[in-house]
Amino acid sequence: MIEGDRELSAMIQELWDNDLNRLRPGIDYRISLQVIMKSLETTVTHGKAGDRAGCSESNDRPLFTFVDENIFKKETFLAFISLLDNYESDTGEPEIVTPEEELENHKFLDSVLKTPTMKIAHRYLVEKHLSPEDIKDFKQQLYRIWFELYARRGSSKPDSSGFEHVFVGETRGGHTVIGFHNWIQLYSQEKLGHIDYKGYSVDANSPQPDDKKHILALQFCWKNGIKPKGSIFIGVSPEFEFALYTLCFLTSPNERVKVSFSIYEVEIVCHHYNQKHIGTTYPVLVKYLNVSPKKGLD
């Protein structure tokens, strides 16, 4: 691991240790892992949908079997959830941001900027001369990175943003799900009956998933579209993910950075769009670390 990765790992460990709103697996939420009976990998080729039989065959076993929804009453969760219905999921469909939606974006940023995780990230970015020290200017930087609209591939008009792609999810051609790397959106959509969870996804080098851990690769169907392989944090707070991905976007010139924190070695994938916006970002679990268990480790 290069020195920069070690430094970033230390910062992410500090974010993790200060994520006061993180849910406890098996206590605040429970998930039901299941082996994929039929892989959806072969249904999508070069971004185009092929045979969608996997989505027409519904699976009655949801991913989430319990979530303590009291957590959703907390300020950052409330502000985050208010944003989830502000977008047109289909790429190519221009986004229109209403004054009310813009206000909700600012309310979310105001809420996360008050949290320990975002304060830690801001302090570090200021020290690295990557972000302005003035909080209003920093908020403006965050707005540009996450909420400014841009045109995705194949579109001539602004139809996407980093926030929409990563946290809400999009569809391409009506048949393929892109982005969608957030557990709160996954839970909300599953509860509404819009998500059909197909099972966990691993390859020969991947560690087996664990329902007591906070990272999962999975397959699911959403809005008649297929997500053949997606990776998400589960149970973490919106402010943790927002701080983590902002750090990786601003500090790493590479689009994959390997970091270690808690009991996880993870690659954070972070694709830039025009060097100004987040194209996509998500975690890829490399392995579980051999560390002595202690209170609050998970």
Side-chain angles (χ1 to χ4, degrees):
M1 186 183 295
I2 63 173
E3 189 63 35
D5 291 347
R6 291 195 184 96
E7 185 175 317
L8 189 58
S9 292
M11 284 307 306
I12 294 172
Q13 183 65 56
E14 192 172 353
L15 296 182
W16 185 262
D17 293 341
N18 285 276
D19 187 16
L20 305 179
N21 287 333
R22 184 170 65 249
L23 281 70
R24 298 163 296 176
I27 300 173
D28 299 319
Y29 72 91
R30 292 189 290 273
I31 59 175
S32 174
L33 299 174
Q34 51 191 292
V35 178
I36 295 169
M37 300 306 294
K38 178 181 179 181
S39 176
L40 302 181
E41 291 280 4
T42 57
T43 64
V44 178
T45 305
H46 302 304
K48 297 181 180 179
D51 175 19
R52 300 195 306 279
C55 278
S56 64
E57 300 167 0
S58 181
N59 183 359
D60 292 332
R61 294 175 59 189
L63 172 63
F64 290 95
T65 59
F66 167 75
V67 174
D68 183 354
E69 295 191 358
N70 285 319
I71 191 70
F72 297 149
K73 298 175 183 177
K74 295 194 174 185
E75 184 179 0
T76 55
F77 283 83
L78 276 173
F80 178 85
I81 290 169
S82 73
L83 306 180
L84 298 180
D85 62 355
N86 288 355
Y87 298 95
E88 295 288 341
S89 63
D90 227 9
T91 54
E93 188 71 26
E95 293 288 350
I96 299 174
V97 182
T98 67
E100 181 184 4
E101 290 171 348
E102 186 173 356
L103 188 64
E104 289 176 341
N105 292 342
H106 284 287
K107 187 176 181 180
F108 171 71
L109 288 177
D110 288 337
S111 70
V112 297
L113 283 168
K114 291 187 290 187
T115 63
T117 53
M118 210 63 211
K119 288 179 180 178
I120 291 165
H122 183 213
R123 183 190 70 222
Y124 179 75
L125 290 168
V126 170
E127 290 173 356
K128 293 295 182 181
H129 306 290
L130 295 169
S131 292
E133 185 172 1
D134 182 82
I135 196 69
K136 291 182 180 178
D137 292 338
F138 181 49
K139 179 183 172 183
Q140 188 175 20
Q141 182 188 32
L142 292 174
Y143 199 100
R144 184 189 71 246
I145 292 169
W146 286 101
F147 291 107
E148 275 191 2
L149 298 176
Y150 55 84
R152 279 205 175 267
R153 176 172 59 86
S155 178
S156 60
K157 297 181 180 180
D159 63 341
S160 184
S161 69
F163 187 91
E164 177 187 9
H165 184 85
V166 174
F167 293 115
V168 184
E170 300 179 281
T171 54
R172 177 174 288 151
H175 305 312
T176 305
V177 177
I178 59 175
F180 204 133
H181 299 287
N182 178 260
W183 77 270
I184 301 171
Q185 169 72 334
L186 190 69
Y187 170 72
S188 300
Q189 290 295 297
E190 186 173 68
K191 188 177 178 181
L192 291 170
H194 299 160
I195 290 284
D196 187 7
Y197 168 60
K198 296 299 183 180
Y200 63 79
S201 173
V202 295
D203 57 36
N205 299 316
S206 301
Q208 286 294 308
D210 187 325
D211 61 4
K212 298 298 189 294
K213 303 294 191 297
H214 284 283
I215 303 175
L216 177 66
L218 72 166
Q219 293 186 359
F220 60 89
C221 296
W222 177 57
K223 294 189 175 183
N224 296 318
I226 298 165
K227 183 70 177 180
K229 188 172 184 179
S231 187
I232 61 173
F233 286 105
I234 297 183
V236 300
S237 70
E239 57 265 32
F240 171 79
E241 285 192 277
F242 203 74
L244 166 66
Y245 294 145
T246 300
L247 272 179
C248 291
F249 175 79
L250 290 173
T251 62
S252 177
N254 303 312
E255 295 193 327
R256 299 181 81 96
V257 57
K258 188 177 289 186
V259 295
S260 299
F261 61 95
S262 183
I263 56 173
Y264 310 100
E265 184 174 300
V266 179
E267 281 190 350
I268 302 296
V269 177
C270 188
H271 293 292
H272 297 206
Y273 185 88
N274 289 340
Q275 302 304 310
K276 295 180 180 179
H277 310 106
I278 286 178
T280 191
T281 184
Y282 54 90
V284 176
L285 179 63
V286 177
K287 65 180 180 181
Y288 299 121
L289 301 174
N290 295 320
V291 294
S292 300
K294 62 181 180 180
K295 185 178 179 180
L297 192 62
D298 277 348

